[in-house]
Amino acid sequence: MIALFILLGVGSLPADAIAAQQQALPVLEKHCFKCHGETKFRGGLSLVSKQALAKGGETGPAVNLKNPEQSILWKAIEYDGLEMPPAGKLPEKERGILRAWISAGAPLPEGKAIAKTEEHKKPSLEDAKTYWAYQPVKLVQVPQVAGKQPGNPVDAFLLAKLQAAGLGMNPRADKRALIRRVSYDLTGLPPTPEEVQTFLADSAPDAYEKLVDRLLASPAYGERWGRHWLDVVRFAETNGYERDGPKPNAYRYRDYVIRSFNADKPFDRFVKEQIAGDEIDPDDPDSLMATGFYRLGTWDDEPADRLQATFDEFDDIVATTSQAFLGMTMNCARCHDHKIDPVPQTDYYRMLAFFRDIPRFSNDRNVMSSTSQRDVTPKEKRAAYEKELEERERQKEGLTKKIEALEDVIIKRMPAEDQRASEGLDRPQVVAKLKNFWTEEEGKAVRALRQERDKITRMPTPSQELALAVNRCDPRPPVTHLLVRGNPHAQGQVVKPGFPVALGGAEPAISDAGPQDRSAGRRKVLANWLASPDNPLTARVWVNRLWQHHMGRGIVASTNDFGKFGTPPTHPELLDWLAGELVRNGWKSKPLHKLILLSDAYMMSSAANAQALAKDPNNQLYWRYPMRRLEAEEVRDSILMVSGKLNREMYGPSVYPPIPKEVLAGQSVPGSGWPVSPPELANRRSVYVHVKRSLQLPVLAQHDQADTDTSCPVRYVTTVPSQALGMINGQFNNEQAGFLAKRLEKELPGNLPGQVKRALWLTTQREPTEAEVAGDLAYLADLNRRGLSAGEALRQLCLVDLAASEFIYLD
């Protein structure tokens, strides 16, 4: 693609501004215009004119002419709060060019457009035949490298590229860094001081492998890795929009995901259950809970255009399904052919047609709608309560016969017209007159029998387990039309369910539903295709996510987009080899975890290296392990674990930890939808905290909790003042610092140096230095001199320890 810059009106600019403009335009074209150009305005921002810069996007004007360094664009390219471009920080030279351009007033040409591109070549099926992601997964041979051949194939693939660039891997990290790294990666929790000391003392060659095996077998593994998947499928327990009402029993989907990861459920089965669990195994509670996948998106309970809202919901399903399982942005073809990838608009609606049997979440404001709630009571429990219900009905039927017999006796004393009326639909009106004709004894008998029947009717429903799921599907769904420009009121040609043409476009064989079928059967066909070893994307996309969460970014950094608008793979051969291994291992993920975790690449130090930084500043070749900050849930869970208050209870309804009244004040009805749980329940792991779209726990929000409106493949990692302020001033941290202080006093009563040392051990998982202990003791003494009690001084020291960078950063 060749960019032709039209530099109009530059004669009116100073020479330095002209130079800045001419240098900046190629950088903008290369890195910015594809998302912020003439036809695409991500975040509402365009960079093609001075007017557009002044208007800015969702975060405000892009350029601050009075104070250039405070410009949003300046901060974004410096990764100060915002991170642009998201694929990686620009080299210093290019950032310097853009800084100079902003400082010069961000001059731009005065013509209609600053950049014109040669006529865009429309994606074609020929592109699909050659594009790497649409090709079958290749059987790749492990490369041979110079020197000793690594025992782990992962290292061989990485070393082959490193050696070609004249680089090598960093040396291995120390054992303390390793146990901290792998403990957080697999469980989201820090190792205890005792676990660290045991590992450090274990000199056996397989000490680290035993550690990996123990962590993979931990129930906390499913909680940690289940949370990654919940990000991808936009898990939330409320509907968004104005009322943000609840999604009852959404927690059962979350629990299903955690159980699936702990059981190492084959990924192909995991895919099938979520897409068509109700069609594959309708008697299996887990398979039904899995279909909660469809119900997790936003839902408008009062749409201005109900048909538009219906297709918006289908769009959410198409977008999430194609991105989560295929790494395809099929939603870009809702209104027109995909602009970048070979995905015609017909493909979008062919995919949508698979889901046409799914009814709306609800057709009114009733969030307990039968279309989105399903009985998942285990068979043995279901048999018991069905038997109880049958017994109740039998008793009510017997009482009704006795009542009617007694009524008939009384009716015979009533006028003839009433007697005749009692034989038809007017009986209720006749019965209402009985009190005028019965004797006192008859009246008592009738009232007693009615009360006994009413008592049975009012009895609570026997224990029944409901789950958010798809229900009452349409076995004969309506015809699907291509919608002109995505408008549901402008129907185009009829389309049938079909697979993307880029992946072969085969016509699926779908039989008509039978008279006893409860759904159309289309989703089962889609599920089998998605989870087929012959599908070139599903296995690649999943192993890429595994790699992402172990190595800091995916081999394809744009983990939801394997298309041309995404990021090309840095190591395509390794990606294919891992995808092949997944299938060869029966689609099980834990063997791949272990393979990656036992590689030299994973065990590398994160230390800097001048030569490598010069050649590969973004670590694209993986010459070092990437340092990382803990994710939001890890921060909160670690604080609770260190304070001794973490409740490790698993599964069940979500919990509602206290939220400061200042935060709740932002709601239209403060506290609405957030009943505070008792302290012991509120201190459960963060994966069990209720996910309300319009309200977040401050400690989670401050540390970049996932956006739940759409699929979240990668979390932004920001470094902003509110994080440090929250860690020092936040209600949660201050409370937990108090609990940590009490824990120290209980474990080491009267031993202040021991308490200081223990606090550092708990928060850093390492042996504190004598200087650190002495410094903390001096700090405590200073607080005492300022009038603080010994207990309050220790609490403040604990608060500082919990806010330390070493506590929330690995390596």
Side-chain angles (χ1 to χ4, degrees):
M1 189 163 64
I2 303 173
L4 305 173
F5 297 107
I6 306 175
L7 303 180
L8 303 177
V10 296
S12 60
L13 295 174
D16 58 345
I18 295 174
Q21 173 183 276
Q22 291 176 336
Q23 286 187 307
L25 284 172
V27 179
L28 292 168
E29 165 71 11
K30 180 179 179 182
H31 299 290
C32 308
F33 287 162
K34 67 179 181 179
C35 294
H36 306 287
E38 281 190 275
T39 58
K40 190 161 188 174
F41 319 112
R42 282 200 176 175
L45 175 64
S46 172
L47 302 177
V48 301
S49 69
K50 297 229 20 155
Q51 293 82 359
L53 289 172
K55 179 182 177 184
E58 295 171 357
T59 55
V63 173
N64 185 336
L65 297 180
K66 293 183 179 179
N67 193 348
E69 293 184 12
Q70 294 302 311
S71 298
I72 290 175
L73 183 56
W74 184 301
K75 291 183 176 182
I77 63 173
E78 294 298 333
Y79 277 40
D80 180 5
L82 294 173
E83 297 182 0
M84 290 294 155
K89 195 172 183 180
L90 296 178
E92 171 58 30
K93 181 179 179 181
E94 292 184 330
R95 299 202 315 276
I97 289 172
L98 293 181
R99 290 196 301 267
W101 172 67
I102 296 170
S103 298
L108 288 171
E110 299 172 3
K112 180 179 179 182
I114 62 169
K116 288 188 177 179
T117 305
E118 286 186 347
E119 184 177 352
H120 178 66
K121 181 183 177 184
K122 185 177 180 180
S124 67
L125 293 183
E126 292 303 314
D127 298 325
K129 292 177 182 178
T130 57
Y131 188 63
W132 71 270
Y134 307 143
Q135 307 309 305
V137 174
K138 297 175 183 176
L139 183 61
V140 182
Q141 297 298 316
V142 177
Q144 296 297 308
V145 300
K148 184 179 179 182
Q149 183 71 12
N152 191 311
V154 168
D155 295 321
F157 282 102
L158 297 184
L159 274 173
K161 288 210 166 190
L162 284 166
Q163 290 178 353
L167 297 173
M169 288 185 182
N170 259 7
R172 181 169 294 191
D174 61 70
K175 292 185 74 174
R176 176 261 177 182
L178 275 181
I179 187 173
R180 197 161 185 252
R181 180 189 298 172
V182 74
S183 295
Y184 272 115
D185 274 6
L186 288 181
T187 69
L189 294 171
T192 65
E194 294 72 25
E195 288 171 339
V196 174
Q197 290 164 340
T198 299
F199 180 61
L200 294 179
D202 190 346
S203 59
D206 63 345
Y208 175 67
E209 183 176 0
K210 289 186 295 185
L211 170 65
V212 169
D213 288 337
R214 176 174 66 80
L215 294 172
L216 282 171
S218 167
Y221 160 79
E223 294 170 324
R224 168 65 173 159
W225 279 79
R227 181 61 259 181
H228 291 320
W229 183 253
L230 295 177
D231 282 8
V232 173
V233 296
R234 83 283 190 225
F235 176 79
E237 297 177 84
T238 60
N239 293 310
Y241 291 96
E242 181 182 359
R243 272 172 287 276
D244 198 23
K247 292 183 180 293
N249 302 307
Y251 74 88
R252 293 196 190 277
Y253 175 84
R254 177 205 63 210
D255 290 353
Y256 155 79
V257 169
I258 294 172
R259 284 195 303 272
S260 296
F261 275 93
N262 275 332
D264 200 16
K265 179 176 288 182
F267 188 70
D268 59 342
R269 175 70 186 186
F270 188 57
V271 172
K272 291 177 183 179
E273 287 176 344
Q274 292 175 83
I275 298 299
D278 58 318
E279 295 181 342
I280 293 170
D281 195 351
D283 294 324
D284 176 35
D286 261 16
S287 294
L288 298 178
M289 294 178 206
T291 65
F293 163 80
Y294 291 110
R295 300 304 192 194
L296 300 175
T298 57
W299 171 70
D300 189 352
D301 64 4
E302 195 175 41
D305 184 335
R306 186 173 296 274
L307 187 62
Q308 180 70 49
T310 298
F311 278 92
D312 286 346
E313 291 162 25
F314 281 128
D315 183 65
D316 167 72
I317 291 172
V318 171
T320 307
T321 302
S322 64
Q323 292 175 31
F325 300 111
L326 296 171
M328 294 181 73
T329 55
M330 293 194 69
N331 50 303
C332 292
R334 179 183 184 181
C335 305
H336 48 68
D337 291 349
H338 201 296
K339 296 295 185 181
I340 306 298
D341 298 328
V343 180
Q345 191 182 8
T346 49
D347 269 8
Y348 172 90
Y349 289 97
R350 278 153 52 93
M351 178 65 75
L352 188 152
F354 282 110
F355 308 118
R356 283 306 303 274
D357 69 329
I358 300 174
R360 290 196 75 207
F361 177 84
S362 177
N363 287 315
D364 51 36
R365 291 187 189 173
N366 175 23
V367 295
M368 283 295 290
S369 169
S370 61
T371 62
S372 58
Q373 296 292 316
R374 194 143 185 173
D375 188 347
V376 294
T377 311
K379 280 186 178 180
E380 58 279 9
K381 287 186 179 180
R382 187 181 304 175
Y385 82 64
E386 286 177 348
K387 183 178 180 180
E388 183 178 344
L389 287 175
E390 288 174 4
E391 175 61 20
R392 289 185 194 179
E393 289 301 317
R394 187 188 64 76
Q395 292 176 9
K396 286 170 61 178
E397 184 178 341
L399 289 167
T400 299
K401 288 181 179 179
K402 289 181 181 180
I403 293 169
E404 289 177 348
L406 188 50
E407 288 173 348
D408 287 341
V409 171
I410 302 168
I411 288 171
K412 289 179 180 179
R413 298 199 290 268
M414 297 175 70
E417 60 268 24
D418 286 332
Q419 293 182 38
R420 287 193 297 271
S422 71
E423 297 172 359
L425 296 176
D426 293 332
R427 182 181 178 93
Q429 289 87 337
V430 175
V431 169
K433 303 177 185 179
L434 289 181
K435 61 184 178 181
N436 298 322
F437 296 91
W438 63 35
T439 66
E440 184 177 350
E441 292 76 12
E442 288 172 336
K444 287 181 180 179
V446 170
R447 286 193 294 270
L449 289 169
R450 288 175 177 174
Q451 288 173 359
E452 187 176 354
R453 184 179 64 181
D454 291 344
K455 182 180 177 181
I456 295 173
T457 301
R458 289 194 300 269
M459 290 176 68
T461 303
S463 178
Q464 186 181 27
E465 298 177 17
L466 297 175
L468 184 74
V470 295
N471 197 16
R472 298 188 179 278
C473 295
D474 186 350
R476 293 161 187 80
V479 170
T480 302
H481 292 265
L482 181 148
L483 303 181
V484 180
R485 300 196 63 79
N487 183 350
H489 300 285
Q491 293 184 346
Q493 69 186 76
V494 172
V495 297
K496 294 181 178 181
F499 306 130
V501 293
L503 302 180
E507 292 291 336
I510 303 176
S511 303
D512 291 337
Q516 302 302 317
D517 290 336
R518 299 182 62 184
S519 64
R522 297 176 177 184
R523 289 178 285 110
K524 182 177 179 180
V525 174
L526 174 64
N528 288 333
W529 175 78
L530 285 171
S532 167
D534 296 329
N535 189 308
L537 285 169
T538 308
R540 280 180 175 138
V541 169
W542 177 235
V543 298
N544 190 59
R545 296 192 197 279
L546 294 178
W547 184 269
Q548 167 196 349
H549 292 299
H550 283 313
M551 300 300 293
R553 70 168 187 281
I555 295 172
V556 177
S558 52
T559 50
N560 264 15
D561 186 1
F562 275 40
K564 293 184 177 181
F565 205 63
T567 308
T570 55
H571 297 74
E573 296 84 5
L574 173 58
L575 182 65
D576 272 17
W577 188 86
L578 290 171
E581 279 295 288
L582 177 71
V583 176
R584 287 188 286 273
N585 281 304
W587 293 84
K588 288 183 173 288
S589 299
K590 286 189 177 182
L592 281 186
H593 281 299
K594 187 171 180 178
L595 179 74
I596 295 170
L597 294 172
L598 294 182
S599 68
D600 289 339
Y602 181 81
M603 293 187 281
M604 284 189 293
S605 160
S606 63
N609 175 309
Q611 178 192 9
L613 281 172
K615 289 187 175 183
D616 183 21
N618 293 325
N619 195 30
Q620 295 289 305
L621 300 177
Y622 297 102
W623 53 269
R624 67 167 171 173
Y625 188 82
M627 183 177 72
R628 77 171 179 92
R629 194 203 69 202
L630 300 184
E631 291 183 352
E633 293 84 357
E634 291 174 302
V635 172
R636 178 178 176 272
D637 293 352
S638 296
I639 292 171
L640 287 169
M641 186 168 176
V642 167
S643 74
K645 291 295 180 180
L646 182 64
N647 179 349
R648 299 293 293 273
E649 179 185 348
M650 297 181 70
Y651 308 126
S654 295
V655 298
Y656 300 81
I659 292 180
K661 61 180 182 180
E662 295 84 359
V663 177
L664 294 176
Q667 293 184 284
S668 57
V669 181
S672 174
W674 199 269
V676 178
S677 301
E680 63 276 9
L681 287 179
N683 291 338
R684 293 180 67 195
R685 290 199 68 176
S686 300
V687 72
Y688 300 112
V689 170
H690 182 73
V691 181
K692 185 174 177 64
R693 283 191 157 99
S694 61
L695 186 66
Q696 294 174 285
L697 286 186
V699 68
L700 299 180
Q702 289 160 2
H703 292 93
D704 310 304
Q705 187 179 21
D707 176 16
T708 58
D709 285 348
T710 57
S711 174
C712 178
V714 181
R715 293 192 185 187
Y716 284 110
V717 180
T718 62
T719 303
V720 293
S722 59
Q723 292 164 349
L725 291 170
M727 295 293 274
I728 289 294
N729 299 318
Q731 175 181 310
F732 172 74
N733 280 54
N734 275 272
E735 288 176 350
Q736 296 305 317
F739 292 132
L740 174 55
K742 290 177 182 178
R743 173 183 180 177
L744 298 173
E745 291 169 341
K746 181 179 179 181
E747 291 182 358
L748 298 160
N751 182 356
L752 192 57
Q755 293 170 2
V756 167
K757 189 173 182 179
R758 177 67 169 168
L760 287 169
W761 252 115
L762 287 167
T763 53
T764 65
Q765 296 90 51
R766 63 170 174 81
E767 181 76 36
T769 65
E770 292 182 5
E772 287 172 326
V773 175
D776 283 357
L777 289 170
Y779 176 66
L780 290 173
D782 182 61
L783 292 178
N784 294 151
R785 285 193 297 272
R786 295 172 184 269
L788 270 66
S789 67
E792 176 58 18
L794 183 59
R795 189 195 71 81
Q796 292 213 9
L797 175 65
C798 291
L799 183 62
V800 172
D801 287 344
L802 292 175
S805 293
E806 191 173 357
F807 179 63
I808 61 171
Y809 281 89
L810 295 183
D811 289 13

